[in-house]
Amino acid sequence: MITREKRVASIEDPRTFLEESLGRRAATPDVARAIVALEIPGLPVPLRRELEQLAGSRSDFSFETSMPSDFERVVAADDQLRTLERLFDGLDVDHTRAGEPSYLEGRLVVALTMLGAPAGASALDALRARAELARAGNAPSPGALHKRLRFLRRFEQKIERMRLNTEFRQAQMQAKSRLAHAVGGRDCDDLTLAFVSYLAARANRRSMFLFGAQSRAFDSISEALHAVMREREGVNWFAVAHVMPTTPVIGRLSVAERGSLIGLFHEQMVVSANRLGVLWSSLPERMREEMVMVRDVDSSRWNAYAGSFNTMRSAWIAAMRAADLEDALDAYLPGKAARLMASDLVWGYRALGEELHEDTRMFSALPHPWTVIAGEAEQGRNDIIAKATTLSVDALATGWVGPRSPTPIEIARAEPELVHGIAIADPALAARLRRAGAFSGKTGGARADLPDTLMLGWERAANGTAVYPVVHPAPE
């Protein structure tokens, strides 16, 4: 959910600010200001001026915005740990680890053991076994015991939800900024930290509602910082490869570091692919052919895991090329995963005379990536090239068998305020319009109360309730 918030950040310790920004969605002007505050020696004057100009695009660190500064955090099990401590006297509990599913699972196992459950049993298993004994008259099943077992069952469900949501949050971050969240900021010198945090902030920007390619993360400031890094000693290129896994960057790493990245990228590919395989069965048939969203289907999880899979796949291919293991791709190369597209965006493309994206067509024609990873289907680089040829797709330029074709480098500028991908000028006005359902066209809310003076550039539906941004003439 997008909410209006007042974001306040401090540059008293710019390094700490940049380190923490790697695990959330920091605005690029904020990151630029922190980089300026680092006072990195030897930066070219034009680069310093560009950073200062971007940092000055907001007059202060305290400002109102319609966009949250973080990916949605997982709700920790603080209440459950307090209940666990109360119900199981003598059980050691560390409340500072209430957000760690693995730690909570360990406490659950200890609690089950204290109730006499066999090793490896789940809370549900123990509850069912106790109920069966009670029904057979072989155990009285005291109320206190059942109370604890029921609580542990709910605790078990909470841990599973936390695990899934933690995995989902990680997929969201990886889809945007690759493995920036895994970079140890304290292991980076100031220059490396500046580059990694700035590129991550650029990559973590929200997508805009537009027809055409999205803005790329690597801009003029990224290019200038990278140029300085290539001339310096002590740069942590292993950390750089987490956010910019290009073949030249990975080529600077040791053999052990390359091998580590190959394993890490592929491991995250597998995690995302497995989740996509589970989600695929839940997609309605009418969505699968053209990968277009339909009402009441949660598309956010699919797109997060598809984005994560594609970014990890691209990084894995680059690491394989840098390690001179490219020939192995001839025997094993899963294809990309298609993202679900909003129906209004698809309609817009078709109104402009364009059809399905090449990734969607390729995804439909090739074995699904999770089947290739699981060994249920065989696919290599030549198979993908052959299929791309039949579909008139350039497999190399579109990233199906190698790095995408380079794009022009953009001038650095602050990201616009967005609501549902639509650029807005006033966050306070955006908050009111969002609550009224103006951006999504949802029914209900205070939409009818919107004054006509706010409707410039907007259009009401025929029934006078739904409000939509006017981008193209409405279809007849």
Side-chain angles (χ1 to χ4, degrees):
M1 177 181 296
I2 297 177
T3 56
R4 182 184 175 202
E5 66 175 38
K6 190 165 186 178
R7 186 180 304 162
V8 180
S10 171
I11 56 171
E12 293 179 0
D13 186 352
R15 272 199 63 95
T16 300
F17 177 83
L18 293 178
E19 290 170 8
E20 293 176 348
S21 74
L22 296 173
R24 56 184 183 86
R25 267 181 158 159
T28 51
D30 297 355
V31 173
R33 181 174 293 193
I35 293 173
V36 171
L38 277 180
E39 299 182 349
I40 301 172
L43 290 186
V45 173
L47 173 57
R48 285 185 177 278
R49 288 176 178 169
E50 198 168 11
L51 282 166
E52 290 168 355
Q53 182 178 4
L54 179 58
S57 62
R58 289 191 175 122
S59 59
D60 192 0
F61 258 96
S62 176
F63 60 92
E64 289 183 341
T65 176
S66 63
M67 301 188 294
S69 60
D70 201 354
F71 297 92
E72 188 173 354
R73 295 275 178 178
V74 177
V75 179
D78 297 287
D79 293 341
Q80 289 82 358
L81 274 186
R82 283 192 290 269
T83 303
L84 183 72
E85 193 173 34
R86 177 171 54 82
L87 292 178
F88 292 85
D89 187 33
L91 179 62
D92 181 41
V93 173
D94 183 355
H95 292 275
T96 64
R97 304 183 66 181
E100 302 177 25
S102 57
Y103 171 76
L104 300 176
E105 192 170 51
R107 296 299 86 195
L108 172 66
V109 171
V110 173
L112 285 169
T113 303
M114 292 174 67
L115 294 181
S122 68
L124 180 59
D125 293 334
L127 189 60
R128 284 173 174 170
R130 196 69 187 179
E132 288 294 328
L133 288 173
R135 280 195 292 270
N138 297 325
S141 296
L145 178 58
H146 262 263
K147 177 181 179 180
R148 284 161 174 76
L149 285 173
R150 287 194 300 271
F151 164 75
L152 291 181
R153 172 56 179 160
R154 294 192 299 272
F155 189 40
E156 190 175 56
Q157 293 171 332
K158 168 69 174 178
I159 295 171
E160 181 60 22
R161 289 195 302 273
M162 289 181 63
R163 193 184 306 281
L164 290 174
N165 290 335
T166 299
E167 185 184 272
F168 174 50
R169 184 177 189 273
Q170 181 170 301
Q172 288 180 301
M173 292 190 289
Q174 290 177 177
K176 288 290 188 179
S177 55
R178 299 183 176 88
L179 294 176
H181 64 92
V183 172
R186 295 183 180 180
D187 299 328
C188 301
D189 62 289
D190 285 354
L191 181 59
T192 304
L193 180 60
F195 176 81
V196 170
S197 57
Y198 181 78
L199 190 59
R202 283 277 300 175
N204 283 333
R205 296 169 304 154
R206 289 153 187 81
S207 299
M208 293 192 68
F209 187 98
L210 51 80
F211 302 111
Q214 297 286 332
S215 173
R216 296 295 180 185
F218 195 82
D219 64 359
S220 55
I221 288 180
S222 306
E223 181 186 39
L225 285 170
H226 190 241
V228 175
M229 290 165 59
R230 291 197 298 268
E231 305 299 326
R232 293 282 182 91
E233 296 292 335
V235 171
N236 187 340
W237 289 105
F238 186 64
V240 174
H242 280 63
V243 295
M244 187 179 170
T246 60
T247 301
V249 170
I250 297 176
R252 292 175 173 269
L253 306 181
S254 67
V255 173
E257 288 173 330
R258 293 178 196 174
S260 174
L261 281 179
I262 288 173
L264 182 58
F265 292 145
H266 191 270
E267 177 186 1
Q268 295 306 315
M269 277 175 57
V270 172
V271 171
S272 296
N274 288 341
R275 186 55 56 189
L276 288 173
V278 173
L279 293 173
W280 177 254
S281 60
S282 65
L283 294 182
E285 287 289 342
R286 64 186 184 278
M287 292 178 63
R288 297 183 183 182
E289 183 177 353
E290 295 188 342
M291 299 301 288
V292 177
M293 300 177 191
V294 299
R295 188 183 298 275
D296 298 327
V297 174
D298 181 11
S299 60
S300 59
R301 288 186 180 270
W302 175 275
N303 281 347
Y305 285 110
S308 173
F309 174 81
N310 290 336
T311 57
M312 292 298 99
R313 175 184 178 275
S314 175
W316 174 70
I317 292 174
M320 293 286 283
R321 289 161 60 96
D324 291 329
L325 297 174
E326 191 173 1
D327 290 345
L329 302 178
D330 291 336
Y332 170 70
L333 181 58
K336 292 199 286 185
R339 292 169 58 88
L340 290 166
M341 293 185 67
S343 57
D344 49 0
L345 195 60
V346 173
W347 173 86
Y349 274 114
R350 285 178 171 164
L352 296 173
E354 299 184 28
E355 285 301 318
L356 288 177
H357 193 277
E358 64 266 11
D359 283 358
T360 301
R361 291 186 281 126
M362 290 284 288
F363 177 74
S364 298
L366 291 170
H368 293 141
W370 53 89
T371 64
V372 176
I373 288 177
E376 299 170 2
E378 293 186 2
Q379 179 177 277
R381 178 168 51 183
N382 294 331
D383 299 316
I384 295 178
I385 293 174
K387 183 59 67 175
T389 301
T390 63
L391 296 176
S392 301
V393 174
D394 188 336
L396 182 60
T398 55
W400 277 85
V401 295
R404 283 181 173 273
S405 298
T407 57
I409 296 175
E410 304 173 8
I411 300 299
R413 56 176 56 90
E415 58 268 30
E417 285 282 334
L418 299 177
V419 176
H420 289 229
I422 302 166
I424 53 95
D426 182 357
L429 174 59
R432 184 176 180 187
L433 289 172
R434 183 191 59 77
R435 286 194 298 270
F439 295 96
S440 60
K442 294 178 180 178
T443 59
R447 186 178 299 109
D449 298 331
L450 287 175
D452 291 338
T453 53
L454 297 185
M455 299 311 299
L456 183 62
W458 298 76
E459 184 174 286
R460 288 190 185 274
N463 60 8
T465 58
V467 183
Y468 301 90
V470 178
V471 181
H472 289 284
E476 295 181 357

